[in-house]
């Protein structure tokens, strides 16, 4: 795989939400209707569902603070967060949505106060890699 190409238009500071299609398939999508000046504002606003089309990937019971560091932004959960109690799909959607939001700012994220130290191959004790894009799609050969 090649290195991701950074977007430099200045219009790519979006946060991510869950979109459900009519066939019940769920996808992560950025909220193109709203861009943000800072990553902390974008992450905080992800707690709020902006309209009937998008659903927040952050459960209403999950609270966190965002601390901007020199090389990484830290998301500190106020209570220990047990990803297993959320369910694998919902937990992964939350982590991916937050990582994709950070990626739209070109910034890595690190999480603090998560019960698990690893999740889906990610080491949650370290800054996480910037994802290339949302929604893993199967590669089909005809």
């Amino acid at each position: 795989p090649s290195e991701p190409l950074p977007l430099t238009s200045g219009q790519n500071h979006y946060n991510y939400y869950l979109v459900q299609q009519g066939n019940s398939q769920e996808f992560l999508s950025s909220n193109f209707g709203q861009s943000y000046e800072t990553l902390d504002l974008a992450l905080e606003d992800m707690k709020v569902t902006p309209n009937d089309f998008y659903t927040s990937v952050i459960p209403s019971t999950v609270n966190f603070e965002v601390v901007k560091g020199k090389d990484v932004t830290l998301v500190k959960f106020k209570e220990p967060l047990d990803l297993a109690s959320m369910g694998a799909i919902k937990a992964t959607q939350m982590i991916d949505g937050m990582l994709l939001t950070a990626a739209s700012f070109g910034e890595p994220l690190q999480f603090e106060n998560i019960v698990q130290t690893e999740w889906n191959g990610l080491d949650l004790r370290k800054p996480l890699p910037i994802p290339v894009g949302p929604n893993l799609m199967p590669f089909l050969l005809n």
Side-chain angles (χ1 to χ4, degrees):
S2 62
E3 289 294 316
L5 177 66
L7 301 176
T8 57
S9 69
Q11 301 300 314
N12 57 339
H13 294 158
Y14 300 117
N15 54 16
Y16 277 73
Y17 292 93
L18 192 65
V19 175
Q20 187 171 26
Q21 292 187 324
N23 63 1
S24 298
Q25 282 189 303
E26 295 179 327
F27 297 95
L28 291 174
S29 175
S30 56
N31 179 6
F32 294 110
Q34 176 72 45
S35 64
Y36 295 87
E37 289 289 320
T38 63
L39 175 55
D40 59 326
L41 290 174
L43 289 169
E44 287 291 334
D45 211 32
M46 286 176 67
K47 297 176 186 177
V48 179
T49 299
N51 56 39
D52 292 339
F53 186 70
Y54 296 113
T55 303
S56 177
V57 294
I58 302 172
S60 60
T61 57
V62 173
N63 293 303
F64 59 86
E65 66 177 314
V66 179
V67 179
K68 176 77 171 132
K70 181 181 176 194
D71 297 322
V72 67
T73 298
L74 182 63
V75 174
K76 297 170 79 171
F77 294 98
K78 295 191 178 190
E79 300 291 327
L81 181 62
D82 183 4
L83 298 175
S85 70
M86 295 175 64
I89 292 173
K90 293 298 178 195
T92 300
Q93 289 170 337
M94 182 188 76
I95 290 171
D96 288 352
M98 295 175 93
L99 290 175
L100 288 163
T101 298
S104 79
F105 287 83
E107 297 184 30
L109 275 188
Q110 183 171 352
F111 295 107
E112 185 175 285
N113 207 13
I114 293 181
V115 173
Q116 292 76 14
T117 57
E118 292 186 6
W119 190 260
N120 280 348
L122 297 174
D123 184 348
L124 299 176
R125 298 167 292 191
K126 299 177 182 177
L128 297 173
I130 296 174
V132 174
N135 308 310
L136 179 64
M137 300 300 281
F139 183 66
L140 302 174
L141 294 174
N142 291 337

